Amino acid sequence: MAEKQHLSKERTLVMVKPDGVQRGLIGEIIKRHESLGFKLVAIKTVMPTEKHIEEHYTLDPEWRKVTGEKTIAGYKSKGMTPPSNDPFEITDNILKCLKKYMTSGPAIAMVWQGAHVVKMVRKIVGGTEPLTSDVGTIRGDYVMDSYEMSDNDGRAIRNLIHASGSVEEAAMEIPHWFDEKELIDYRLVGEQILYDVNLDGIME
Ligand code: GDP
Ligand code: MG
């Protein structure tokens, strides 16, 4: 049986979206990940193509269905009529908007590593819609946008950052943006304080 990988080896894909780059938030976003003790194993500036963005959002074959259904349920819970009752039609439109948004300028792609990094990063990123993202999260603190405004204006919601939603999603997204050789394995001195079992390397 294959040995279970230590939790400290978990990785996630994070992207500063084009609006985050333009807003001058690259440093702030990196700082929040560093502050939690996570390790940056890859980073680069990318100019995404529409094809690469469509592939990114549809790496999970269920994404079109799930996102369409979630969006329809969202409209109904607010007492609104969805623009269509076909989840695939809804997601087609979301995808069209996402391609325009994500190819509007350079973005920063990063891979962060550490224990529970996927869940911890989602926590500091906050909910998808900045109007309702918690205070203290990146989306909650640095941008205001809403489905109401973005839908009315026929565009994607601007929420500064992407982060993988699950370990499985990260496993598909990381190779979509990075070659294996771009991911650097190295030791960060702070990891000893986070993960060393005996914590016996401190005293002289
Ligand atoms: P994230 O993981 O928090 O970025 O959100 P998802 O993976 O669920 O959705 C990806 C993207 O699809 C979001 O960033 C939005 O641009 C778009 N999206 C998701 N849900 C909705 C929705 O209910 N309405 C609209 N208009 N767009 C949505
Ligand atoms: Mg997502």
Side-chain angles (χ1 to χ4, degrees), residues 17 56-57 63 66-75 78 90-91 93-95 97-98 101-102 122 125-129 139 146-148 150-151 155-159 161-165 169 173:
K17 293 178 174 179
H56 166 89
Y57 281 107
W63 184 83
V66 171
T67 305
E69 287 172 350
K70 191 189 82 174
T71 308
I72 291 170
Y75 280 109
K78 285 182 238 160
I90 296 266
T91 328
N93 191 47
I94 290 178
L95 204 51
C97 293
L98 279 171
Y101 168 38
M102 291 297 290
R122 290 292 282 198
V125 163
T128 308
E129 186 191 26
R139 286 166 171 171
S146 63
Y147 288 135
E148 186 183 350
S150 62
D151 284 355
R155 60 168 176 78
I157 195 139
R158 293 183 188 144
N159 57 14
I161 178 168
H162 165 81
S164 305
E169 210 172 277
E173 290 179 351

Side-chain angles (χ1 to χ4, degrees), residues 10-161:
E10 188 174 304
R11 288 176 172 178
T12 195
L13 178 87
V14 175
M15 293 191 68
V16 182
K17 293 178 174 179
D19 55 329
V21 173
Q22 294 301 319
R23 294 277 312 282
L25 291 169
I26 302 168
E28 180 60 35
I29 288 170
I30 289 177
K31 180 170 157 275
R32 289 190 174 212
H33 291 75
E34 281 188 309
S35 302
L36 281 169
F38 291 123
K39 175 164 69 179
L40 185 61
V41 298
I43 182 167
K44 64 183 172 187
T45 308
V46 290
M47 191 58 226
T49 62
E50 290 199 359
K51 180 171 174 282
H52 208 72
I53 293 302
E54 173 154 349
E55 286 167 356
H56 166 89
Y57 281 107
T58 55
L59 284 168
D60 173 2
E62 289 291 295
W63 184 83
R64 285 177 194 265
K65 185 166 171 281
V66 171
T67 305
E69 287 172 350
K70 191 189 82 174
T71 308
I72 291 170
Y75 280 109
K76 289 185 176 165
S77 73
K78 285 182 238 160
M80 293 160 72
T81 311
S84 161
N85 278 310
D86 176 2
F88 292 95
E89 205 176 307
I90 296 266
T91 328
D92 264 0
N93 191 47
I94 290 178
L95 204 51
K96 204 180 292 169
C97 293
L98 279 171
K99 285 193 275 191
K100 193 168 173 200
Y101 168 38
M102 291 297 290
T103 61
S104 62
I108 306 296
M110 300 179 270
V111 176
W112 287 90
Q113 180 178 319
H116 302 290
V117 69
V118 172
K119 269 200 186 146
M120 292 292 287
V121 168
R122 290 292 282 198
K123 190 169 78 166
I124 62 168
V125 163
T128 308
E129 186 191 26
L131 179 65
T132 54
S133 314
D134 289 334
V135 171
T137 64
I138 293 166
R139 286 166 171 171
D141 284 357
Y142 292 106
V143 67
M144 34 78 179
D145 199 4
S146 63
Y147 288 135
E148 186 183 350
M149 181 162 65
S150 62
D151 284 355
N152 284 342
D153 292 347
R155 60 168 176 78
I157 195 139
R158 293 183 188 144
N159 57 14
L160 303 175
I161 178 168

